């Protein structure tokens, strides 16, 4: 379409390029998840676990998360500990980023409310001997029949994919496996007509 356009309609060209950019981001995210899952299946993901500052890592990745939310016309709100406070965990930098990116991506795809606020909340806190990271949306919640297979790989059927946002149902399964490989976990903490909250926790290093 772009190649055949004479350039006279700038708005149309802008729509074409915007669509290309959005789909390129979506496909890149999907390919990254499939490759990472394939490595997990072969036992070759090779997580390099060390001590990382959760707050600092999240602050560094916020611009990329903001871009994802902007594409979905969603506002990202963050609730971090007091300025200058660090929360250290034993984890892998890239693996931790991938989990948070998957959770934000899912919230943008499935958790956007037409009635309530169009936003996603990302919060961090220390709770005992673990650091808890929550991602909350304000959508309509997850249907009961879907909850039981949320963390199964490739959980979406062709019918599901046709009715909902594009995807193969791999992000949550991959994210949970990475979390557990880092001696933490990823859970569906709550879901209702007022929204859904996922909880990622990792052992704190105190």
């Amino acid at each position: 379409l772009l190649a055949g356009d004479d350039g006279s309609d700038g708005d149309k060209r802008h729509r074409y390029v915007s669509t290309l950019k959005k789909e390129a981001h979506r496909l890149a995210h999907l390919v990254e998840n499939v490759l990472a899952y394939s490595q997990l299946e072969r036992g070759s993901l090779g997580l390099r676990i060390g001590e990382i500052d959760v707050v600092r890592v999240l602050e560094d990745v916020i611009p990329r998360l903001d871009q994802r939310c902007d594409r979905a016309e969603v506002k990202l709100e963050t609730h971090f500990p007091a300025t200058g406070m660090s929360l250290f965990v034993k984890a892998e930098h890239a693996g931790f980023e991938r989990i948070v990116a998957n959770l934000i991506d899912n919230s943008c795809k499935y958790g956007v409310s037409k009635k309530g606020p169009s936003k996603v909340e990302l919060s961090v806190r220390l709770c005992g001997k673990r650091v808890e990271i929550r991602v909350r949306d304000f959508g309509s919640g997850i249907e009961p029949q879907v909850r039981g297979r949320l963390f199964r790989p490739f959980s979406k059927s062709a019918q599901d994919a046709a009715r909902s946002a594009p995807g193969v149902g791999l992000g949550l399964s991959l994210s949970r496996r990475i979390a557990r490989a880092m001696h933490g976990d990823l859970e569906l903490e709550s879901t209702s007509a007022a929204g859904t909250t996922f909880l990622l926790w990792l052992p704190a290093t105190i």
Side-chain angles (χ1 to χ4, degrees), residues 131-146:
V131 174
E132 299 181 343
I133 300 94
R134 287 178 171 81
V135 175
R136 178 190 179 193
D137 67 50
F138 293 82
S140 56
I142 301 172
E143 297 176 357
Q145 64 269 28
V146 176

Side-chain angles (χ1 to χ4, degrees), residues 98-108 135 172 186 198 200:
R98 185 183 299 278
I99 296 172
V100 175
N102 279 336
L103 292 175
I104 294 294
D105 185 64
N106 275 2
S107 293
C108 289
V135 175
L172 287 176
L186 175 63
F198 283 92
L200 165 66

Side-chain angles (χ1 to χ4, degrees), residues 67 77 186-187:
Q67 289 179 356
E77 290 188 359
L186 175 63
E187 308 163 1

Side-chain angles (χ1 to χ4, degrees), residues 11-127:
D11 288 341
K12 184 184 292 185
R13 290 178 66 85
H14 178 71
R15 289 197 300 272
Y16 291 163
V17 173
S18 294
T19 299
L20 282 170
K21 184 178 180 181
K22 180 178 70 175
E23 291 303 301
H25 280 296
R26 182 180 69 82
L27 289 173
H29 184 75
L30 175 61
V31 169
E32 287 172 1
N33 276 345
V34 171
L35 290 175
Y37 187 81
S38 176
Q39 288 178 310
L40 271 176
E41 287 291 279
R42 297 196 307 269
S44 61
L45 188 58
L47 294 177
R48 297 180 179 179
I49 298 176
E51 190 174 71
I52 64 171
D53 182 350
V54 167
V55 177
R56 177 163 293 182
V57 172
L58 289 176
E59 287 176 343
D60 289 343
V61 81
I62 285 299
R64 182 156 57 92
L65 300 179
D66 270 329
Q67 289 179 356
R68 175 63 185 97
C69 290
D70 286 344
R71 292 196 299 272
E73 299 182 346
V74 172
K75 181 181 179 182
L76 177 62
E77 290 188 359
T78 58
H79 303 280
F80 293 169
T83 303
M85 181 178 179
S86 297
L87 294 177
F88 290 97
V89 299
K90 286 286 188 180
E92 190 208 38
H93 192 292
F96 174 69
E97 282 191 8
R98 185 183 299 278
I99 296 172
V100 175
N102 279 336
L103 292 175
I104 294 294
D105 185 64
N106 275 2
S107 293
C108 289
K109 288 194 293 188
Y110 308 110
V112 179
S113 173
K114 295 181 179 179
K115 297 180 181 179
S118 294
K119 68 176 181 178
V120 174
E121 291 181 350
L122 172 62
S123 61
V124 183
R125 72 167 185 165
L126 177 65
C127 184

